[in-house]
Amino acid sequence: MALGAGGLFLMMLSGTIDALGRTLFSQPLWGAAELVELSMALMTFLIIPAVTRVRGHVSIDLLDNVLRPVRRFQHLLADVLGGGIFAVMAWRTWVQGDRAADYGDLTQIFQLPVSLVYHLAAILLGATVLSFVLNLIDDLSPEGPREPPHPDEVQTQ
């Protein structure tokens, strides 16, 4: 969480300094655009495993009352499909990172290996697969799936 907040602050700070530098001094912040791009990628892939683990993805509850009897099956299906899809994404992202390493691709400004970004993304996609597996274990437990509270069920103090 702190890493994500730090990344967001870094993006905001570099964007502000870049805009002020361009406007007031006709001198943009060197590497600001690339810093924002890298921070956005990092923040996106960092949050997906955590959101998956708490089942915090956007969902439509239009048929919740009708589908409540098959809720456990829904969770099982979503976790198996989600885990499989993210496993393929992690594998293909890792392969793409290997290709970038073979080509010697570097970022334009900072000259960082692009393969590093791909491999980090693949690792974090793998962490998302782990989140799906942990959710699947919860689904199969006698207590059933852990679910975030429904907005209608949240009590205000």
Side-chain angles (χ1 to χ4, degrees), residues 20-48:
L20 288 174
R22 282 179 196 276
T23 305
L24 300 176
F25 307 110
S26 297
Q27 185 68 30
L29 179 63
W30 178 82
E34 190 168 298
L35 183 64
V36 168
E37 288 174 4
L38 293 171
S39 297
M40 284 176 60
L42 180 64
M43 286 179 30
T44 300
F45 287 105
L46 274 172
I47 197 65
I48 294 173

Side-chain angles (χ1 to χ4, degrees), residues 63-137:
L63 300 174
D64 266 4
N65 292 335
V66 176
L67 297 175
R68 193 158 307 276
V70 294
R71 187 68 145 166
R72 181 176 244 169
F73 175 73
Q74 281 182 296
H75 283 295
L76 285 167
L77 184 63
D79 291 335
V80 168
L81 287 175
I85 290 167
F86 273 83
V88 170
M89 289 171 57
W91 164 54
R92 294 307 305 165
T93 303
W94 189 271
V95 169
Q96 190 64 29
D98 287 347
R99 285 186 187 151
D102 290 344
Y103 295 143
D105 287 349
L106 301 173
T107 61
Q108 198 169 27
I109 304 293
F110 297 129
Q111 298 294 300
L112 296 171
V114 172
S115 61
L116 180 68
V117 177
Y118 279 113
H119 288 142
L120 181 59
I123 290 167
L124 292 169
L125 287 168
T128 303
V129 173
L130 179 62
S131 291
F132 277 116
V133 168
L134 292 173
N135 285 348
L136 187 61
I137 291 168

